[in-house]
Amino acid sequence: MSLEKSDVEKIAHLARLSISDDDIPSYADNLSNILQLVEQMSSVDTNGITPMAHPLSESQRLREDNVTELNQRDHFQQIAPATKNGLYLVPKVIE
Amino acid sequence: MFEKTISELASDLQNKVISSVELTQAYLDRIQQLDGIYNSYITVTPELALQQAKLADGRIAAGNAEILTGIPLAQKDIFCTNGVKTSCGSKMLNNFIAPYDATVIHKFHQAGAVMLGKTNMDEFAMGSSNETSFYGAVKNPWNAETVPGGSSGGSAAAVAARLAPAATGTDTGGSIRQPAAFCNLTGLKPTYGRVSRYGMIAFASSLDQAGPMTRTAKDAAILLNTMAGFDEKDSTCANKAVPDYTAELNKNLAGLKIGLPKEYFEKGMDAEIAKSIEEALDVYKKAGAEIIEVSLPNSSLSVPAYYVVAPAECSSNLSRFDGVRFGYRCENPVDLEDLYKRSRGEAFGEEVKRRIMIGTYALSSGFYDAYYIKAQKIRQLISQDFKEAFEKVDVIMGPTTPSTAFKIGEKSNDPITMYLSDIYTIAVNLAGLPGMSIPAGLANNMPVGLQIIGNYFDESRLLNIAHQFQTLTDWHTKSPERLG
């Protein structure tokens, strides 16, 4: 599997990462090499094998739907880049 | 004093040979004096440390101290520490003052331990050499031209250089065991779910696990006693009783069945490493253990499967870093997409971006089955191999790493070569088993690690086996010559 410039641009967009044009060739090379390493998986027949998502087969715990946390909005927003009236600010989305 | 283990320091504190303030100050002075060479800490917290030490001395005087009360420790900078910068080795979190404590940090705090500071690490724990840190490479105290391993390289270097009596690490594909091997330490990655992941910045959530990095197995048992246990705040934390991990350290090894995976020894293992491992096995044979060949036929697929599973989970976990709620934000974004893309593009390093992109690709429409589901099936096969092996043996042994510590810069331009340096450790994370690395010899004056892999929740046995080795050999007491 060898990735083209356009593939890297598409993946970077999906991942919301800005990548400079100069860096694209090295990303294309390195990512292609990693995919080549990963390709070794295809040498094994895995028909009928159950995919393993988690090391312990226990199911996820459930709990009562009660409020357990305190509201710490002001505390948590102290480290935010930009807030106003308890809201996080981002560039205008709706004109 | 800097050669003393935690258990020795604890009795000095109880017997008032030294106070925690004196001990803490001595370590802080030593860090200031020597860490310019090693770069093992990202943040040193002298005021907080002395404040905690004073409280600890009060507890000791009042007679309600625990074994870790007053003991200085270094914490990997992946654990959130309330009011203290928690960077995870990344420019993304260079300005992040954590607003709460990770459960591991909280537990050490309750036990009265003192935090000296936060240790350097590969960015977001992605790396095997500590070279991907935004804060620069860490030097191995055994040879400053070589890497300490990664991602818990700062923790390893700090303990090896005697800049902390012990430290915490986290291990997603070998990040406790490989640096422990490179720096002559005892490192334990517990069973997945044994230690809470709450407040431990996530890399690959189905693989990440925290554990101790110490000078001896006894110290590792002492730290694990505090770290392990159920936590409501981590939905994957095991709800299982925590035994006293020091209780079985002295158990006799007669009749122990040690499995040797033939696959590990078939393919060109470094001769010097092979020699150390054989000598270590002889020690166990003399102690009454039986060596049995086992097979892990799918072990060569662990690196390929890992480089789908881990990046996939990383791409999902790291989507939270968006420049909106905390962390780095780019200057003057023109719109929301620009804000996301440039904040992430400017603040993540190259290796992190690579892994996010691999994961994004593997999870993208049309490729999901071929990569992600395929990798999860391989993961099942790898896990099955271990299950079958553990029907015949109690533990599995082999080298921790294919080589001793490599040179800084040697592998940093070639991701694949770097990835293959974790070839012996990664399968353990995929299966979720506990694994240890203990000092087993020197090759060309550099440490060699013996890996001991156990069955699920068999940490007591691993620690027993490691401790017995340390009563029969003195490799774990060796320190880098230049430290004197």
Side-chain angles (χ1 to χ4, degrees):
Chain A
M1 185 74 208
S2 184
L3 296 178
E4 306 292 326
K5 181 171 186 276
S6 60
D7 296 318
V8 174
E9 285 169 342
K10 189 184 164 206
I11 298 166
H13 169 68
L14 287 172
R16 300 295 185 272
L17 286 171
S18 64
I19 303 280
S20 79
D21 277 351
D22 294 350
D23 291 339
I24 289 183
S26 76
Y27 277 107
D29 281 354
N30 282 320
L31 296 179
S32 299
N33 289 339
I34 297 169
L35 290 174
Q36 210 177 345
L37 169 83
V38 162
E39 283 303 316
Q40 289 174 27
M41 295 193 307
S42 56
S43 66
V44 185
D45 180 7
T46 51
N47 265 326
I49 306 291
T50 316
M52 174 177 164
H54 195 271
L56 306 173
S57 49
E58 289 158 30
S59 55
Q60 289 265 299
R61 277 192 324 277
L62 299 175
R63 62 164 175 82
E64 292 299 315
D65 188 15
N66 294 330
V67 177
T68 55
E69 293 292 317
L70 303 170
N71 184 353
Q72 299 187 67
R73 187 175 69 181
D74 293 345
H75 180 51
F76 293 149
Q77 288 195 336
Q78 276 174 12
I79 50 169
T83 60
K84 196 177 175 185
N85 301 331
L87 303 172
Y88 292 98
L89 297 186
V90 295
K92 207 171 201 177
V93 179
I94 303 161
E95 290 300 330
Chain B
M1 174 195 345
F2 298 113
E3 291 303 319
K4 288 191 174 176
T5 63
I6 288 179
S7 45
E8 289 163 347
L9 291 173
S11 75
D12 282 357
L13 287 168
Q14 306 302 324
N15 299 328
K16 317 262 165 54
V17 176
I18 192 169
S19 72
S20 176
V21 168
E22 289 165 341
L23 179 63
T24 301
Q25 190 61 58
Y27 269 102
L28 290 170
D29 291 346
R30 189 171 163 85
I31 292 166
Q32 199 179 21
Q33 190 194 334
L34 290 176
D35 203 37
I37 306 171
Y38 306 112
N39 195 27
S40 67
Y41 285 86
I42 291 172
T43 306
V44 184
T45 50
E47 283 162 34
L48 178 68
L50 290 169
Q51 200 186 318
Q52 291 175 334
K54 211 178 264 177
L55 286 172
D57 283 333
R59 263 178 84 167
I60 293 165
N64 59 7
E66 298 171 36
I67 188 156
L68 285 178
T69 306
I71 302 287
L73 298 174
Q75 304 289 356
K76 186 175 181 180
D77 206 20
I78 198 168
F79 294 102
C80 284
T81 40
N82 194 6
V84 175
K85 173 169 144 179
T86 301
S87 75
C88 221
S90 181
K91 181 180 176 185
M92 180 60 86
L93 293 176
N94 187 40
N95 62 358
F96 179 64
I97 309 294
Y100 69 103
D101 277 332
T103 296
V104 164
I105 299 294
H106 177 71
K107 287 185 166 200
F108 279 126
H109 196 63
Q110 297 287 99
V114 171
M115 181 172 89
L116 292 168
K118 310 286 296 286
T119 56
N120 206 339
M121 56 182 284
D122 279 298
E123 184 179 8
F124 286 104
M126 296 174 203
S128 309
S129 66
N130 219 116
E131 290 167 290
T132 74
S133 170
F134 175 62
Y135 302 91
V138 174
K139 312 270 168 65
N140 188 323
W142 285 80
N143 174 350
E145 284 175 14
T146 65
V147 303
S151 66
S152 313
S155 291
V159 180
R162 312 303 188 234
L163 303 179
T168 52
T170 61
D171 190 317
T172 304
S175 285
I176 286 175
R177 291 161 288 157
Q178 184 250 24
F182 282 5
C183 294
N184 209 47
L185 302 179
T186 299
L188 168 62
K189 182 206 94 73
T191 307
Y192 180 81
R194 181 72 291 189
V195 175
S196 169
R197 293 184 298 109
Y198 179 74
M200 186 176 114
I201 297 170
F203 159 16
S205 303
S206 78
L207 304 165
D208 297 343
Q209 184 61 201
M213 300 177 77
T214 56
R215 306 242 308 280
T216 66
K218 191 174 177 189
D219 282 358
I222 292 169
L223 255 62
L224 188 62
N225 274 347
T226 294
M227 296 174 79
F230 178 64
D231 180 12
E232 259 180 11
K233 291 174 173 162
D234 172 3
S235 67
T236 59
C237 198
N239 195 352
K240 244 180 151 50
V242 179
D244 174 1
Y245 290 109
T246 62
E248 290 184 13
L249 292 176
N250 293 317
K251 237 171 96 175
N252 190 294
L253 296 186
L256 176 76
K257 289 183 179 144
I258 298 172
L260 282 194
K262 63 175 187 196
E263 291 79 7
Y264 287 11
F265 295 84
E266 272 166 1
K267 281 185 217 151
M269 188 189 294
D270 178 278
E272 292 276 330
I273 295 215
K275 192 170 153 255
S276 290
I277 300 303
E278 273 162 33
E279 284 170 7
L281 292 169
D282 283 339
V283 172
Y284 280 112
K285 271 189 243 173
K286 278 186 197 136
E290 187 187 347
I291 311 285
I292 298 164
E293 186 181 273
V294 293
S295 176
L296 301 172
N298 294 293
S299 60
S300 68
L301 293 169
S302 58
V303 175
Y306 178 88
Y307 278 97
V308 173
V309 173
E313 295 184 13
C314 125
S315 74
S316 169
N317 272 323
L318 271 60
S319 65
R320 77 192 52 173
F321 301 104
D322 57 4
V324 177
R325 289 158 302 153
F326 54 88
Y328 179 85
R329 179 178 217 162
C330 67
E331 301 269 348
N332 306 316
V334 296
D335 56 23
L336 190 57
E337 186 166 299
D338 186 45
L339 167 69
Y340 292 152
K341 284 187 173 174
R342 279 201 294 124
S343 296
R344 292 162 61 77
E346 290 168 16
F348 286 140
E350 216 176 293
E351 178 62 21
V352 171
K353 282 188 232 180
R354 259 198 299 267
R355 295 207 195 181
I356 290 175
M357 286 200 274
I358 285 291
T360 303
Y361 182 75
L363 293 174
S364 63
S365 168
F367 298 102
Y368 183 79
D369 285 350
Y371 289 106
Y372 193 59
I373 297 295
K374 182 79 183 182
Q376 289 194 323
K377 289 181 171 181
I378 305 271
R379 189 174 181 182
Q380 186 74 266
L381 292 174
I382 288 166
S383 174
Q384 215 58 49
D385 287 351
F386 279 113
K387 265 187 201 126
E388 280 165 32
F390 281 122
E391 280 167 19
K392 286 182 251 168
V393 297
D394 300 314
V395 290
I396 292 170
M397 286 189 189
T400 308
T401 57
S403 73
T404 56
F406 44 88
K407 288 239 161 72
I408 292 174
E410 187 182 324
K411 299 184 179 185
S412 51
N413 292 321
D414 182 359
I416 303 293
T417 321
M418 186 71 85
Y419 297 172
L420 291 171
S421 67
D422 291 330
I423 193 158
Y424 297 124
T425 47
I426 273 177
V428 174
N429 299 76
L430 289 170
L433 296 164
M436 271 188 102
S437 180
I438 57 171
L442 296 175
N444 301 317
N445 288 320
M446 292 300 283
V448 175
L450 171 75
Q451 184 173 220
I452 315 171
I453 304 168
N455 213 335
Y456 295 102
F457 297 101
D458 219 0
E459 285 83 1
S460 284
R461 196 199 301 255
L462 292 188
L463 288 160
N464 163 229
I465 292 168
H467 178 71
Q468 289 305 306
F469 190 76
Q470 293 178 348
T471 60
L472 297 166
T473 64
D474 64 355
W475 295 115
H476 65 290
T477 65
K478 306 271 186 231
S479 59
E481 256 172 48
R482 52 206 244 99
L483 293 178

